């Protein structure tokens, strides 16, 4: 069911002919503007003519002949969403010539019908995908969605929407998440971050949403949101149980796991010096710290522009990045500071974090910052302002599942609403729901890549 599919309505009285141009094949440039994108939309032409009385000549009374048409006045028309009840009815067929050899009864065959994602429920894949899309992509909480659904003619309350999404998360998204976790922890480079959330059912005053994502060179990006009641190190240690290599993170001690090699973030170092430079007692030393960081970022930016990789990337870093790291380190080591001043705290923090950035000289896949994780964490941070909290721990876990699937789909170039509808529909109709059967429907697989691309892609 397509919520945005609209049937043709009766034309105006004076419209005698209507022509619909088929949808164009879309080839979209990243720099496409409004007018260019409008030209790719399906076009409907409505011809307006005179009434029968006005088609006569005012002098002789004879019928006027059509000799042409005026230039079209184009308008971009919006059709609001609509809801309908779609009933799937199977067909039963009987052989009039045979008798069943075993039972002696009629030989009957019944056609299959699509299975419901939630048994004894009106929820369709498209409806569930739209509810989730509004909440997790448009940040519309359930209590505000109620009004929108009421406007479309159905009383859909927040408790029912929440119940539906939790059911979908537990039945269909959880096995997908398990596969994401398997792929994710088999990688050699990960990024991590965490932010506060709240589940009212939890005994802890503050809960946390952790984030783990693949490195910059991974062809099948995964962004994993993990709800936990605490920020304890055991959360990261348990999730990364089979992961033993490089972890991009900030200076939080929860990531101090002995088997992992931490790679710290230059953006956090620069932030400390930026804060110090904005105090009443601004010093040139704090500005110097910011400038050192900017020079290091500039090297990585040039590497990206030159599209260097492998040995060429490492050679470029050793030639251009290492001297800057050495100069910055020497400046930090020989600088006098007050430990309680903002500049002193920035220098102490930078001394602690900068050493790990030397790992970039030997490992091409490492990043100079943890910005990719922080950018992905902005999604729930923005949503939190509207959602405020989760009522239950189950709901908070389900939120993490939906955020994971949606953001991973977007990272793989898919339309999140299309992919959710596709995924729920396919998994609901699988004869056996297991990891092997789900692999074909992961965001980077061929089928979703063909069927779930956005109409206007930014890539």
């Amino acid at each position: 069911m397509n919520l945005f599919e609209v049937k043709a309505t009766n034309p105006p009285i004076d419209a005698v002919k209507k022509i619909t141009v088929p949808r164009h094949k879309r080839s979209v440039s990243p720099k496409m503007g409004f007018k260019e994108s409008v030209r790719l939309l399906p076009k409907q032409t409505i011809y307006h003519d005179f009434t029968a009385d006005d088609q006569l000549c005012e002098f002789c009374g004879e019928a006027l002949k059509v000799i042409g048409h005026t230039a079209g006045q184009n308008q971009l028309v919006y059709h609001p969403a609509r809801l309908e009840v779609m009933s799937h009815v199977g067909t039963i067929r009987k052989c009039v010539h045979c008798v069943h050899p075993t039972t002696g009864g009629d030989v009957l065959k019944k056609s299959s019908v699509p299975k419901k994602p939630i048994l004894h429920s009106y929820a369709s894949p498209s409806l569930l995908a739209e509810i989730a899309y509004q909440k997790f992509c448009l940040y519309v909480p359930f209590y505000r969605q109620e009004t929108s659904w009421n406007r479309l003619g159905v009383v859909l309350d927040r408790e029912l929407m929440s119940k539906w999404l939790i059911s979908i998360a537990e039945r269909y998204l959880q096995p997908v998440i398990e596969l994401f976790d398997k792929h994710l922890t088999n990688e050699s480079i990960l990024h991590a971050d965490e932010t506060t959330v709240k589940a009212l059912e939890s005994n802890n005053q503050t809960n946390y949403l952790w984030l783990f994502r693949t490195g910059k060179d991974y062809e099948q990006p995964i962004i994993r949101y993990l709800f936990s009641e605490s920020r304890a190190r055991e959360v990261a240690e348990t999730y990364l149980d089979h992961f033993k290599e490089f972890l991009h993170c900030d200076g939080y001690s929860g990531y101090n796991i002995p088997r992992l090699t931490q790679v710290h973030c230059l953006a956090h170092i620069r932030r400390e010096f930026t804060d110090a430079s904005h105090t009443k007692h601004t010093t040139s030393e704090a500005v110097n710290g910011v400038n050192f960081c900017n020079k290091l970022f500039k090297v990585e930016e040039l590497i990206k522009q030159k599209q260097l990789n492998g040995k060429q990337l490492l050679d470029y870093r050793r030639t251009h990045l290492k001297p800057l790291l050495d100069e910055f380190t020497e400046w930090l080591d020989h600088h006098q500071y007050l430990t309680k001043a903002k500049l002193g705290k920035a220098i102490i923090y930078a001394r602690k974090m900068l050493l790990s950035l030397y790992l970039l000289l030997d490992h091409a896949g490492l990043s100079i910052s943890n910005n990719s994780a922080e950018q992905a964490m902005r999604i729930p941070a923005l949503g939190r302002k509207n959602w405020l909290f989760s009522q239950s721990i189950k709901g908070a876990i389900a939120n993490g599942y939906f955020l994971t699937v949606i953001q991973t789909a977007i990272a793989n170039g898919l339309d999140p609403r299309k992919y959710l509808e596709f995924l729920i529909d396919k998994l609901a109709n699988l004869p056996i729901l297991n990891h092997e059967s789900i692999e074909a429907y992961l965001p980077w697989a061929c089928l979703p890549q063909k069927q779930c691309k956005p109409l206007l892609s930014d890539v």
Side-chain angles (χ1 to χ4, degrees), residues 358-412:
Y358 278 90
L359 293 168
L360 274 69
L361 306 178
D362 298 313
H363 302 277
L366 297 180
S367 301
I368 201 166
S369 76
N370 196 31
N371 284 346
S372 61
E374 293 206 349
Q375 289 167 2
M377 194 55 91
R378 289 176 186 171
I379 306 300
L382 285 171
R384 181 177 56 202
K385 295 180 179 179
N386 291 339
W387 308 330
L388 301 180
F389 54 82
S390 298
Q391 187 69 37
S392 65
I393 292 176
K394 276 188 175 183
I397 293 172
N399 287 349
Y401 286 176
F402 273 100
L403 284 167
T404 298
V405 171
I406 287 172
Q407 292 305 315
T408 299
I410 293 172
N412 283 273

Side-chain angles (χ1 to χ4, degrees), residues 31 65 126 150 206 306 366:
K31 296 183 179 180
K65 181 182 178 181
S126 62
N150 289 347
T206 303
K306 295 175 183 291
L366 297 180

Side-chain angles (χ1 to χ4, degrees), residues 256-291:
N256 293 338
I257 303 171
R259 67 176 179 276
L260 303 184
T261 302
Q262 294 182 54
V263 185
H264 294 117
C265 176
L266 184 63
H268 281 79
I269 297 174
R270 182 171 62 180
R271 194 175 303 160
E272 294 291 328
F273 283 107
T274 301
D275 290 345
S277 67
H278 290 163
T279 61
K280 292 181 180 179
H281 306 289
T282 301
T283 66
S284 59
E285 298 301 327
V287 175
N288 287 339
V290 175
N291 291 337

